[in-house]
């Protein structure tokens, strides 16, 4: 009969007989197995703040659409409601990107959704510019700085998506290289700032004073805060090392 003690003693005696060169080889093999996981990070902690920020952005877009259905605007179906719809779609895509960050093989989908959000944000910039430049019967004016904010937000979402997508071939879509986290941090924080530019432009306009206007601004501000929170999570090193973290979700 074999006991665990006997097996352990046998393994120990075999190890003691190994030559120094063999120990060196084993140590190098161990480093090759351990270091890749130590140098990779999971995007799981970004899931909740990005998902919440995207949802808030989508709600802001819905409020804009509802504003166009009632006085004083009553311009549903025009450029302003199209702007709201594009903003809602961008928020939905970012929320989906955040949701898939916690999945084992979610990196590719997260990148695709972030890039889809970029397209929607650029469409939103085009639509709101068209509304600003058009002649309408209201005295509501919006600063053109909102277009710059939306275009910058589009660029940030596009660059985040590219970074995420680039990891699919190198890491199988499970984790992100530690050296690339600086890019994620940069564009999340810039996304937060660009959404804040949109908030400032709308706050100064009469749109914030009509029905649903205050909620629109509130949701946009929350989106900005959540994207900034996501960037801070990664910047401050709260993202846990990859390996088995995604198994819990």
């Amino acid at each position: 009969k074999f006991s665990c003690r006997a097996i352990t003693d046998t393994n120990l005696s075999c190890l003691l007989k190994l030559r120094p060169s063999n120990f060196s080889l084993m140590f190098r093999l161990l480093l090759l197995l351990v270091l890749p996981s130590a140098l990779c990070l999971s995007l799981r902690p970004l899931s909740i703040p990005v998902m919440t920020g995207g949802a808030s952005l989508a709600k802001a877009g819905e409020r804009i659409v509802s504003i166009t259905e009632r006085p004083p605007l009553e311009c549903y179906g025009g450029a302003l409601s199209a702007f709201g719809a594009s903003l809602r779609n961008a928020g939905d895509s970012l929320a989906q990107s955040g949701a898939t960050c916690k999945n084992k093989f979610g990196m590719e989908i997260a990148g695709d959704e972030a890039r889809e959000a970029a397209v929607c944000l650029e469409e939103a910039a085009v639509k709101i510019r068209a509304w600003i430049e058009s002649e309408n019967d209201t005295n509501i004016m919006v600063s053109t700085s909102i277009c710059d904010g939306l275009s910058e937000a589009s660029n940030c979402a596009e660059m985040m998506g590219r970074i995420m997508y680039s990891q699919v071939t190198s890491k199988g879509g499970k984790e992100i290289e530690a050296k690339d986290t600086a890019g994620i941090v940069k564009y999340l924080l810039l996304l937060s700032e660009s959404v804040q530019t949109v908030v400032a432009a709308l706050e100064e306009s009469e749109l914030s004073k009509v029905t649903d206007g205050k909620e629109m601004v509130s949701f946009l501000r929350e989106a900005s805060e959540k994207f900034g929170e996501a960037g801070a999570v990664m910047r401050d090193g709260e993202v846990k090392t990859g390996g088995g973290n995604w198994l819990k979700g």
Side-chain angles (χ1 to χ4, degrees), residues 12-234:
L12 181 60
S13 63
C14 291
L15 287 173
L16 292 174
K17 293 179 181 179
L18 289 176
R19 297 179 181 178
S21 59
N22 290 335
F23 272 113
S24 177
L25 178 59
M26 290 176 63
F27 182 70
R28 291 177 185 178
L29 289 174
L30 183 62
L31 286 179
L32 289 175
L33 292 173
V34 173
L35 282 180
S37 292
L39 296 176
C40 294
L41 300 175
S42 168
L43 290 182
R44 179 186 170 90
L46 303 183
S47 178
I48 298 300
V50 172
M51 193 163 43
T52 305
S56 296
L57 192 64
K59 291 177 183 177
E62 290 174 353
R63 295 302 183 276
I64 293 170
V65 173
S66 67
I67 285 172
T68 65
E69 298 175 338
R70 294 190 288 269
L73 293 177
E74 294 182 305
C75 59
Y76 179 78
L80 186 60
S81 58
F83 159 63
S86 295
L87 207 60
R88 178 191 60 206
N89 294 339
D92 287 341
S93 292
L94 284 171
Q96 184 61 39
S97 178
T100 53
C101 279
K102 61 182 178 182
N103 295 334
K104 178 180 178 181
F105 293 103
M107 194 80 73
E108 182 176 4
I109 299 174
D112 283 342
E113 291 292 345
R115 298 182 75 178
E116 178 62 26
V119 173
C120 295
L121 287 167
E122 191 57 44
E123 288 178 355
V126 171
K127 296 301 182 182
I128 192 62
R129 184 180 295 277
W131 185 78
I132 292 172
E133 295 177 350
S134 67
E135 295 181 5
N136 54 70
D137 298 330
T138 69
N139 294 321
I140 296 178
M141 302 296 294
V142 178
S143 171
T144 54
S145 63
I146 191 174
C147 303
D148 298 331
L150 289 166
S151 293
E152 179 62 26
S154 173
N155 180 64
C156 292
E158 171 68 22
M159 296 308 296
M160 282 196 305
R162 288 186 182 184
I163 293 174
M164 293 175 181
Y165 196 85
S166 68
Q167 302 304 308
V168 176
T169 54
S170 61
K171 294 298 295 180
K174 300 178 189 178
E175 301 161 333
I176 186 167
E177 295 287 350
K179 62 184 177 61
D180 289 326
T181 58
I184 296 289
V185 170
K186 173 184 176 181
Y187 292 114
L188 277 171
L189 296 178
L190 285 176
L191 178 62
S192 174
E193 293 177 7
S194 58
V195 174
Q196 188 57 43
T197 300
V198 175
V199 171
L202 289 174
E203 261 187 329
E204 295 173 357
S205 75
E206 293 296 319
L207 280 176
S208 63
K209 298 178 176 61
V210 302
T211 305
D212 289 333
K214 289 184 178 180
E215 286 190 359
M216 168 195 67
V217 172
S218 177
F219 282 130
L220 282 169
R221 186 178 290 110
E222 182 180 8
S224 174
E225 291 172 356
K226 289 300 178 180
F227 295 142
E229 178 185 325
V233 164
M234 184 166 280

